[in-house]
Amino acid sequence: MSDETPRPAAPADGHPVYVIGGGPAGLAAAAALRGRGVRAVVLERSPAVADSWRRHYDRLHLHTTRRLSALPGLKIPRSYGRWVARDDVVRYLERYADHHELEIVTGVEVDRVDRAPDGGTWLLRASGGRELTASAVVVATGHNHTPRTPDWPGAESYSGELLHASAYRNAGPYAGRDVLVVGVGNTGAEIAVDLAEGGAASVRLAVRTPPHIVRRSTAGWPAQRSGIACRRLPVRLVDRVAAGLARLSVPDLTEFGLPRPSDGLYSRVRQGAIPVQDVGLIDAVRGGRVTPVAAVESFAGEKVALTDGTVLTPEAVIAATGYDRGLGRLVGHLNVLDPEGRPLRTSPEQGLFFIGYTNPISGMLREIGKESRRVARAVTR
């Protein structure tokens, strides 16, 4: 830090603000706090920042544009391209931490957050028996924190390979094999395409609810910009417009086992389901390289039973079935979570903040940038 740059000060009580999590949300929050002259210390359980991004599958790219995905205070380099690759996201986040001279402590996992006995500060209980006192706490452990796999009957008896999508890296180990991917969100759709392009002998995609599929970009116009434009419009209007655009830009895949959804795109977004951005799924389905099938019902030995009565014998099953936020152990006792484990919009606890727990149609990184400024303003108030 140069002599000309003032060192951020701790709040009046002498304790720093602790930010739990060294991903995009935690780094953005720490940078925003530092910009307001507040000392913020990032606690990251892994050995380095951006841990979750380092563990994503190899072919992952942002589905949001480079220009609309930068965190406050530092642009993403133009050389990274319009759709930034996973490894470049990691490099950007490392650079972001250095650029803002963030104070980061790695290898420390916070297990529980409590009010301190004085009632005005917070007590963090962390790995190694640490007890840390904070003037305020920003929780930023990530929207996709804990892999979630359904409790399928008979799953423990399955003789093939069963793994969550969080453990998938690339198609190499599945070349020449029969693979069933469960879940048709963005992750499941992209893994299915990756397997088909990577030499899997057969790729089936188990679908419980047909997804809304949108083109990532149409005539140079990214779907993200449409998402930004429609956020404040009436839901029914957006549903009607989206349905018309889908008929024009996305072919009907009903004959291939992937019918158009019966409900509206934005209605589903408001329920937490983001549309699938096409990065090859449409062509793979139409070309027969990925075959949609019914949802999984149960397992028995080498067999997988589907809800339509079909029985498959895949060699591997990859569960792209989502994540839990994993906040229960950390703050569940503070009554700051809703029944689904999501942070309440307005926390009943002063000095406790959450960032990065929504997945908006306008882009998660863009929303994190806006949230970080709001959190910093609230902390300094």
Side-chain angles (χ1 to χ4, degrees):
M1 186 177 294
S2 67
D3 294 337
E4 292 77 17
T5 304
R7 180 176 294 277
D13 60 16
H15 301 294
V17 174
Y18 279 109
V19 180
I20 306 173
L27 298 181
L33 287 165
R34 189 182 189 284
R36 285 179 165 261
V38 176
R39 183 188 174 202
V41 179
V42 178
L43 302 176
E44 168 55 44
R45 65 178 180 175
S46 70
V49 300
D51 179 63
S52 64
W53 277 94
R54 298 173 195 274
R55 293 183 281 110
H56 282 312
Y57 50 92
D58 295 348
R59 73 174 282 151
L60 179 64
H61 286 67
L62 288 180
H63 291 166
T64 53
T65 66
R66 178 191 75 252
R67 293 184 64 184
L68 295 175
S69 300
L71 300 178
L74 183 67
K75 294 181 179 179
I76 299 176
R78 188 182 183 89
S79 60
Y80 288 0
R82 192 181 198 195
W83 312 105
V84 183
R86 178 202 64 186
D87 290 349
D88 286 332
V89 172
V90 172
R91 279 191 280 270
Y92 169 71
L93 294 176
E94 291 174 335
R95 182 181 174 191
Y96 190 86
D98 291 340
H99 176 80
H100 289 288
E101 299 180 311
L102 301 182
E103 188 174 349
I104 300 170
V105 182
T106 59
V108 175
E109 182 172 9
V110 179
D111 299 314
R112 184 180 170 98
V113 176
D114 286 298
R115 271 290 184 191
D118 63 16
T121 56
W122 291 91
L123 182 65
L124 282 64
R125 305 180 194 279
S127 54
R130 298 177 179 86
E131 292 190 351
L132 308 171
T133 302
S135 62
V137 179
V138 180
V139 181
T141 52
H143 184 269
N144 297 335
H145 183 272
T146 306
R148 180 178 66 242
T149 303
D151 187 19
W152 287 304
E156 68 283 353
S157 71
Y158 179 55
S159 58
E161 180 183 358
L162 174 60
L163 69 153
H164 189 270
S166 59
Y168 177 87
R169 293 295 172 267
N170 56 61
Y174 305 96
R177 299 173 69 186
D178 183 343
V179 186
L180 173 65
V181 180
V182 183
V184 69
N186 279 292
T187 296
E190 191 159 3
I191 287 177
V193 172
D194 193 45
L195 289 164
E197 294 178 353
S202 174
V203 181
R204 295 182 179 88
L205 183 59
V207 179
R208 182 173 299 279
T209 304
H212 285 277
I213 302 175
V214 299
R215 299 288 189 181
R216 187 168 64 174
S217 179
T218 302
W221 179 264
Q224 182 187 9
R225 286 201 177 275
S226 297
I228 294 170
C230 77
R231 285 198 72 186
R232 298 186 183 279
L233 296 177
V235 173
R236 290 184 180 180
L237 173 61
V238 177
D239 283 347
R240 287 198 297 269
V241 172
L245 291 175
R247 286 192 292 270
L248 292 173
S249 61
V250 178
D252 188 354
L253 302 175
T254 301
E255 64 177 295
F256 302 99
L258 207 57
R260 292 190 189 278
S262 58
D263 56 350
L265 182 150
Y266 200 34
S267 294
R268 193 177 291 184
V269 167
R270 295 293 292 271
Q271 297 170 7
I274 297 298
V276 171
Q277 294 205 17
D278 178 47
V279 289
L281 179 65
I282 293 173
D283 289 343
V285 169
R286 297 177 78 184
R289 299 189 303 278
V290 172
T291 303
V293 296
V296 170
E297 184 171 81
S298 63
F299 290 74
E302 64 179 6
K303 299 178 181 179
V304 180
L306 307 183
T307 54
D308 64 356
T310 303
V311 176
L312 306 176
T313 56
E315 297 172 77
V317 175
I318 299 173
T321 47
Y323 295 80
D324 292 323
R325 294 165 187 83
L327 292 170
R329 184 182 68 173
L330 189 66
V331 296
H333 55 287
L334 297 173
N335 298 319
V336 294
L337 305 178
D338 69 12
E340 301 298 320
R342 298 170 297 200
L344 296 172
R345 287 185 176 274
T346 302
S347 174
E349 291 283 359
Q350 292 187 351
L352 178 64
F353 305 91
F354 297 87
I355 179 172
Y357 294 96
T358 61
N359 191 16
I361 196 172
S362 54
M364 181 178 287
L365 292 177
R366 179 178 182 273
E367 188 65 25
I368 281 172
K370 297 172 69 176
E371 283 185 299
S372 68
R373 297 187 181 99
R374 290 196 293 267
V375 166
R377 286 196 298 269
V379 169
T380 52
R381 281 201 299 270

